[in-house]
Amino acid sequence: GQKIQESQGSLLEYLVAMVMKSTGLEVMQKIIGASKLGSAELIRYIQELDQFYKNEEGLVSVWKGEYHIQSEEIDSLARGDEEAVESIAGTVAVRGGTKSLLSNRYYFQPNKTKALFAEYARARIRNTGQSRCTFLSQTPTLTPSFSLVRLYATENAVGKILHDVSAVSMNTVMQRKCEEDLLVAATQTLFAIKAFKNDTGSYPASLNELVPRYLSVVPQDSFDGKPLKYSAEKKIVYSVGKDLQDSGGSTGNDWRQMSDPTFAINF
């Protein structure tokens, strides 16, 4: 999965790689409790996991590629390509009038629409290199319920709707990248706690006790850029999540759906 992400392929390939990596990391977390690995072996795996954060170049390539695809689609719409028009008829939510709106340069301005997509791509590229995901709180608001009155009064209304739909979809990819980095960090932390317990017979009072023998530094919460949270009493490692609010951890069956994405210590 990591190699696919680094290959600078398509968005679909990157998404498939995300699933592959996440599956592998989640399986590692499940089997750590029954693992008979010694501390030295666990530390070696912790160090090897460092490489699985670095896939930014591949994602930057994805953003560039997606912009070129979107630019070509905008050109097709401007030419009145029947297939392209049909593909967005539902998105614009005025099926009967879609073609006439696209042919009217007040409601659909190809160059301005491309500029919207280009700026969004540039923003995604800038955010890809950030060490934290606080930008997720700035998720663009999708406006599918454009009233006809508002639609006909808005310059480049079709282009703006297309941009909003795409922006929300692409922001989901950025959130999944943040979740993937969190999963790597949580897996490293669970390995370190396991090694500490192997050596001492107890859990660390704080994650700082794992440094420097088991971890070079406490892994970072990808959502706020601060160290991961930990509770020895609750036996959990957790993140503040997208809302950046520390609620002391969450419960549930799927950490991705939790307000505080939480990973249980099952050993």
Side-chain angles (χ1 to χ4, degrees), residues 178-194:
C178 294
E179 291 172 345
E180 180 184 278
D181 287 346
L182 171 62
L183 191 55
V184 176
T187 304
Q188 286 180 308
T189 304
L190 291 174
F191 271 48
I193 294 171
K194 173 72 171 179

Side-chain angles (χ1 to χ4, degrees), residues 9 14 16 26 32 36 64 69 78 84 111 113 153 160 166 213 222 242 247 255 257:
Y14 198 91
V16 169
E26 288 172 343
I32 185 63
K36 303 300 182 183
K64 292 178 179 178
I69 292 171
N111 287 339
T113 302
K160 290 175 180 177
S166 176
R213 171 162 170 72
S222 57
K242 181 181 175 181
S247 303
W255 61 270
Q257 303 302 319

Side-chain angles (χ1 to χ4, degrees), residues 13-87:
E13 291 170 331
Y14 198 91
L15 291 173
V16 169
M18 279 184 163
V19 174
M20 294 171 67
K21 283 180 65 177
S22 295
T23 300
L25 290 163
E26 288 172 343
V27 168
M28 290 174 71
Q29 290 190 15
K30 289 178 180 178
I31 67 176
I32 185 63
S35 169
K36 303 300 182 183
L37 294 173
S39 297
E41 292 171 301
L42 289 168
I43 291 170
R44 178 167 59 85
Y45 284 124
I46 291 168
Q47 294 169 343
E48 289 183 0
L49 281 169
D50 280 338
Q51 67 182 296
F52 296 111
Y53 292 106
K54 303 299 181 183
N55 45 46
E56 283 75 14
E57 287 187 12
L59 188 52
V60 167
S61 179
V62 165
W63 298 134
K64 292 178 179 178
E66 284 301 300
Y67 169 73
H68 286 296
I69 292 171
Q70 292 159 347
S71 182
E72 290 176 1
E73 290 176 345
I74 291 167
D75 287 338
S76 295
L77 291 173
R79 292 193 301 269
D81 182 281
E82 292 291 342
E83 185 175 342
V85 171
E86 181 62 28
S87 71

